[in-house]
Amino acid sequence: MICFSLYSAARATTQVYRRLLAPWSLTYPQYLVLAVLWTEGDQTIGSLGEAMQLDSGTLSPLVRRLERDGLVTKTRDADDERVVRVRLTDAGTALRAEIAPIHKKVAEIAGVGDLQHRELIAELREITARLHES
């Protein structure tokens, strides 16, 4: 069944990330928040939630822990106090050089080369989009 294979692959991926991120005391979801900020820049909680496909109730504790650890800051938008903006601190930006390449290590462990990597990502995005449309 496709569902079991996707579930198993996701769990195995999470376990590898957990092991590789342990030296920095980061969880896989925290790493994903940082990755979005590294690639997309400052985000609102709403746009970050969209990128990660998480609701604010799940995302807010992740961001709070990253803020506590000095990797991000949260500020209220000057034009709309209901909007919370998240941005990297200098420490969060500096961490990129150390841990951003972990995704390449995971691909290597999984035996996924560069071409296969791009094809796999495209296929998974298509599957995700079709499932969201249903």
Side-chain angles (χ1 to χ4, degrees):
M1 292 188 330
I2 291 173
C3 62
F4 182 74
S5 295
L6 287 171
Y7 176 75
S8 296
R11 283 192 42 84
T13 301
T14 300
Q15 290 169 350
V16 170
Y17 271 101
R18 183 179 301 128
R19 181 171 44 87
L20 294 175
L21 293 168
W24 293 276
S25 299
L26 286 172
T27 65
Y28 180 47
Q30 288 171 328
Y31 169 79
L32 294 176
V33 168
L34 292 172
V36 170
L37 294 171
W38 290 327
T39 58
E40 303 295 324
D42 299 354
Q43 299 285 306
T44 65
I45 288 287
S47 63
L48 197 52
E50 272 184 45
M52 295 185 62
Q53 298 184 14
L54 293 175
D55 61 53
S56 63
T58 303
L59 183 58
S60 291
L62 292 172
V63 172
R64 193 171 23 255
R65 285 191 296 275
L66 290 169
E67 184 179 38
R68 178 201 65 208
D69 294 341
L71 300 174
V72 302
T73 60
K74 294 186 311 187
T75 55
R76 297 251 174 221
D77 188 272
D79 296 327
D80 186 347
E81 293 267 328
R82 297 170 297 178
V83 176
V84 176
R85 297 200 169 277
V86 181
R87 71 177 34 103
L88 292 163
T89 63
D90 290 342
T93 300
L95 192 58
R96 181 180 190 173
E98 289 182 58
I99 66 172
I102 284 178
H103 73 277
K104 291 180 183 177
K105 181 68 176 167
V106 173
E108 179 184 309
I109 291 168
V112 177
D114 285 342
L115 178 59
Q116 187 182 10
H117 182 258
R118 285 189 288 278
E119 291 171 351
L120 181 58
I121 287 173
E123 191 167 343
L124 289 169
R125 284 183 177 159
E126 285 179 33
I127 290 170
T128 302
R130 283 192 296 266
L131 291 171
H132 281 298
E133 290 171 0
S134 67

